[in-house]
Amino acid sequence: MSNPYEYYPNLYRAAQPAQGQGQGQGQQTGQGQGYAAPSGGMITQQGQVTASASMFEQSYVENILRANRGKIATVYMTFSGHQQQVFVGYIMGAGRDHIVLRDVNTTKTFILLTIYLDYVTFDEEIALPYQL
């Protein structure tokens, strides 16, 4: 397998002060210096995560999959240098980097890494975590 640092270069960097935080602005409000959180929010020195307005306007595959837990999905994935593989199952959960799928015909549960995800289809109407 290739180096994981190639896939997630920002994940392994040390936390950097966020733009506009630190001197003056953050300390005047008593919140301390903020650091960029992976979710798009801010983490204060006290360890609290605050959400930014733009965070709620963003749409991610994991949010759509979470909104459709329990539904049957067809997940198409291509692993490094291989043919596309198809997984059909119930969506059990989803995270930033993975999908948990339970096979419809067996009791087997798969944890699929989204780095290999091509696309997902549903045979029914899906719920969206935002308004169209």
Side-chain angles (χ1 to χ4, degrees), residues 22-81:
Q23 296 181 354
Q25 186 179 17
Q27 293 171 355
Q28 288 174 353
T29 61
Q31 294 176 346
Q33 186 173 2
Y35 291 89
S39 65
M42 296 297 294
I43 300 175
T44 65
Q45 281 183 335
Q46 293 79 21
Q48 296 174 330
V49 177
T50 60
S52 64
S54 64
M55 186 171 124
F56 295 107
E57 297 172 8
Q58 296 175 348
S59 173
Y60 294 102
V61 171
E62 71 254 23
N63 294 338
I64 295 170
L65 293 173
R66 281 187 204 125
N68 291 281
R69 281 189 193 120
K71 293 186 179 180
I72 295 176
T74 305
V75 178
Y76 297 84
M77 305 190 93
T78 303
F79 300 98
S80 303

Side-chain angles (χ1 to χ4, degrees), residues 83-106:
Q83 295 263 348
Q84 188 177 61
Q85 287 187 279
V86 180
F87 298 86
V88 179
Y90 295 96
I91 298 174
M92 304 302 291
R96 178 177 302 260
D97 65 346
H98 67 280
I99 301 166
V100 181
L101 201 69
R102 189 181 75 216
D103 190 285
V104 293
N105 298 317
T106 68

